[in-house]
Amino acid sequence: MKSLILYFSRADDNYAVGYISKGNTEIVAQYIQEMTGADLFKVEREVPYSKEYETCVREAKEELQQHKRPALKKMLKDISSYEIIYIGSPVYFDLLPMPMVAQLEVLDFSDKIIMPFVTHEGSGLGNVVKQLKQVCKNAHIMEGLAIPGSAAKQSKRVVESWIKRSGVNENRFNK
């Protein structure tokens, strides 16, 4: 089964972890890639969020409240060759950030297996799975994984357990 990791991640000043050079969700996405061999696609705003945490929060909240879809550096247009899609993101206000929504809305998820994963600092999965059910129509959404951003670097075993428990990539695991 061919799989894809489609994720949004933000480095710079982050809640509970301070300044980081690699986003927490990206760390988890790379663990998944290492374990499954899946292709990676990082969703990126054309104009990045502010490096400063509080300013980023304001920018993201404004996008959400105004239902804005920010321009993206690259837009993935076709996922027809993939069977399994790992969708990863930090949780912003209990939901996916709007850049991720902008990307997901243009894709056809019919008959795809969705493996959602998020990083957070207290919200868990929030309403992300519910949101994915609305945006990724006709997909089969599996059990989600929520990892505190402050624990992302130490989450490799948790990620491995989640993937194994799902059974979707049984034959691709590195032993």
Side-chain angles (χ1 to χ4, degrees), residues 144-159:
L145 176 66
I147 296 176
S150 56
K153 288 181 181 175
Q154 297 82 32
S155 68
K156 196 170 191 175
R157 290 173 121 177
V158 173
V159 172

Side-chain angles (χ1 to χ4, degrees), residues 24-40:
N24 298 314
T25 306
E26 186 165 6
I27 292 167
V28 177
Q30 289 175 340
Y31 287 155
I32 295 168
Q33 199 279 328
E34 181 183 314
M35 294 172 199
T36 65
D39 294 338
L40 283 168

Side-chain angles (χ1 to χ4, degrees), residues 24-126:
N24 298 314
T25 306
E26 186 165 6
I27 292 167
V28 177
Q30 289 175 340
Y31 287 155
I32 295 168
Q33 199 279 328
E34 181 183 314
M35 294 172 199
T36 65
D39 294 338
L40 283 168
F41 186 90
K42 183 177 182 179
V43 174
E44 298 177 88
R45 287 173 100 239
E46 193 171 86
V47 176
Y49 285 122
S50 171
K51 291 179 182 281
E52 196 272 319
Y53 177 75
E54 292 300 328
T55 305
C56 172
V57 169
R58 285 193 299 277
E59 292 167 349
K61 190 171 193 173
E62 180 182 306
E63 279 180 349
L64 178 65
Q65 290 173 335
Q66 296 177 10
H67 305 286
K68 286 184 182 176
R69 303 303 189 266
L72 304 178
K73 279 187 180 180
K74 289 187 300 187
M75 182 74 78
L76 184 62
K77 306 236 185 209
D78 181 23
I79 56 171
S80 61
S81 64
Y82 297 102
E83 296 173 75
I84 302 164
I85 316 289
Y86 293 87
I87 296 178
S89 177
V91 178
Y92 285 11
F93 313 104
D94 246 12
L95 299 166
L96 295 168
M98 295 311 282
M100 197 65 181
V101 173
Q103 174 60 80
L104 295 176
E105 287 178 335
V106 302
L107 298 170
D108 179 4
F109 287 94
S110 297
D111 300 320
K112 303 295 180 196
I113 296 169
I114 304 295
M115 294 283 292
F117 66 99
V118 300
T119 55
H120 68 95
E121 285 304 334
S123 62
L125 284 162

